[in-house]
């Protein structure tokens, strides 16, 4: 006697679910699968990869490109917002050894440089310039190109926030930093800056 009420309560939803599944199978369309991005074309020199960086990234505009010797030979591309309320750079560095680095954060060179960069930032340039890590994130979350540390601290009496990221791209080692005074709301969006840098590097 209780079968019909149970069918009335559960039968229609179950039939509807089976019907949807049958429609999907009849349609023959496979579910969407996110494919990993194509490898970034290898650049034979840091200067060549630096040319792919965008003229604008989020609210930051590209500035001068200068050679660097430390932490490895390469070039540094400066970025800043209007009025330089926030500033940053993208360093494209020749990786140690002769082999091109794989894209992403898994290589020993990328991991070692990340640890070195964070230690350098936390140690600071003096007792009045210190940062501490408040979060670590991969960017993008799926198939990350960079491992990043979000930091806050002080430069003298000025409270600041900063983000440092390291990863491999196009065979080279990349190091990215964005810094700005602490403000509510934030003066710029470091993650949006990194998103646009990543998109430019991965563009066909």
């Amino acid at each position: 006697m209780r079968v019909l009420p149970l069918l009335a309560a559960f039968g229609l939803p179950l039939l509807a679910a089976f019907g949807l599944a049958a429609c999907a199978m009849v349609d023959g369309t496979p579910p969407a699968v996110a494919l990993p991005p194509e490898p970034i074309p290898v650049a034979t020199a840091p200067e060549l990869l630096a040319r792919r960086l965008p003229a604008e990234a989020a609210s930051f505009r590209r500035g001068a490109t200068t050679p660097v010797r430390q932490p490895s030979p390469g070039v540094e591309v400066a970025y800043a917002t209007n009025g330089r309320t926030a500033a940053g750079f993208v360093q494209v560095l020749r990786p140690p050894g002769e082999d091109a680095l794989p894209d992403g954060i898994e290589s020993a060179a990328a991991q070692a440089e990340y640890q070195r960069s964070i230690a350098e930032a936390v140690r600071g340039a003096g007792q009045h310039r210190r940062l501490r890590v408040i979060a670590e994130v991969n960017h993008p979350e799926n198939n990350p190109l960079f491992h990043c540390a979000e930091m806050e601290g002080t430069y003298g009496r000025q409270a600041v926030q900063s983000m440092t990221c390291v990863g491999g791209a196009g065979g080279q080692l990349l190091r990215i930093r964005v810094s700005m005074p602490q403000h509510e709301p934030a003066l710029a969006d470091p993650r949006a800056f990194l998103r646009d840098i990543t998109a430019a590097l991965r563009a066909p």
Side-chain angles (χ1 to χ4, degrees):
M1 296 296 294
R2 296 181 181 180
V3 173
L4 291 177
L6 287 173
L7 285 175
F10 299 104
L12 289 177
L14 286 172
L15 287 173
F18 285 130
L20 288 174
C23 289
M25 288 186 289
V26 170
D27 180 72
T29 304
V33 177
L35 297 175
E38 291 292 327
I40 297 171
V42 171
T44 56
E47 296 82 359
L48 298 178
L49 186 61
R51 294 177 188 173
R52 303 179 196 170
L53 297 174
E56 294 187 4
S59 57
F60 293 77
R61 291 186 177 181
R62 180 171 177 160
T65 300
T66 56
V68 294
R69 294 288 181 184
Q70 298 294 334
S72 297
V75 294
E76 178 177 301
V77 180
Y79 281 89
T81 59
N82 288 336
R84 296 189 62 81
T85 53
F89 61 71
V90 180
Q91 290 182 344
V92 185
L93 308 172
R94 191 179 300 279
E98 298 296 328
D99 295 332
L101 286 188
D103 295 343
I105 62 177
E106 298 300 329
S107 69
Q111 293 178 11
E113 178 54 33
Y114 176 80
Q115 295 298 330
R116 192 204 66 78
S117 294
I118 300 311
E120 177 185 73
V122 170
R123 184 172 61 251
Q127 62 178 342
H128 301 299
R129 189 170 181 171
R130 296 292 177 86
L131 294 169
R132 63 184 179 277
V133 176
I134 59 173
E136 293 185 271
V137 297
N138 290 336
H139 182 86
E141 291 185 7
N142 297 322
N143 300 298
L145 201 60
F146 297 102
H147 188 49
C148 303
E150 297 178 347
M151 295 174 282
E152 61 182 23
T154 56
Y155 287 178
R157 296 182 178 180
Q158 176 66 61
V160 298
Q161 63 185 80
S162 181
M163 183 175 73
T164 294
C165 304
V166 176
Q172 308 296 323
L173 179 64
L174 272 70
R175 181 170 176 257
I176 297 175
R177 178 174 290 178
V178 175
S179 299
M180 68 195 79
Q182 280 195 336
H183 189 271
E184 190 60 42
L187 299 173
D189 187 345
R191 294 193 182 192
F193 172 75
L194 188 60
R195 178 200 63 212
D196 290 354
I197 295 296
T198 300
L201 291 169
R202 284 182 167 166

